[in-house]
Amino acid sequence: MSGIRVWESARRRDKPTAVIIGAGNLLMSSVLFLMMIGTVPFYEITTREQETAAQHTAIRIFGGWLAAGLVLFLVLGMRRTALSHLTMMLVPPAALILILLLLAQ
């Protein structure tokens, strides 16, 4: 299979892929955000060092996932999927921060 055929095939599947990627990123970015604020799912943090380590790990995973996904989808010419990826990685953490700020008042 040549590179052009792979590129054309990826572009044809852009719309259904955008929905799947968006749903997966929504879940992943929410879990990573919880790790960033110190609440790790299925694991109890007992020390400040563990909390800091979880936050640093979440930030590295988040940044790498965001950058790698954008580069991959843009190289493949999947604009809808790239936009879905970007939106679902940035909007849920922003919404959760807004909710936390509103609850803190």
Side-chain angles (χ1 to χ4, degrees):
M1 190 173 220
S2 69
I4 293 174
R5 290 179 71 194
V6 170
W7 187 74
E8 288 173 351
S9 175
R11 288 199 58 167
R12 277 195 309 270
R13 292 183 177 97
D14 188 22
K15 196 171 186 177
T17 304
V19 173
I20 294 167
I21 294 297
N25 283 340
L26 178 64
L27 177 64
M28 183 173 190
S29 65
S30 299
V31 170
L32 289 174
F33 179 74
L34 288 174
M35 286 177 66
M36 286 182 205
I37 63 172
T39 307
V40 180
F42 311 112
Y43 182 73
E44 184 177 344
I45 294 178
T46 56
T47 65
R48 181 71 180 144
E49 291 80 22
Q50 289 176 333
E51 183 178 351
T52 303
Q55 289 170 349
H56 289 302
T57 301
I59 290 169
R60 270 188 269 141
I61 292 170
F62 184 85
W65 192 264
L66 179 64
L70 281 177
V71 168
L72 175 67
F73 300 134
L74 291 175
V75 165
L76 289 174
M78 301 174 80
R79 288 183 296 236
R80 284 187 189 123
T81 304
L83 183 62
S84 172
H85 174 70
L86 183 64
T87 304
M88 289 300 146
M89 289 295 287
L90 297 180
V91 171
L96 290 172
I97 288 171
L98 199 67
I99 290 169
L100 288 174
L101 288 175
L102 291 174
L103 290 175
Q105 292 180 358

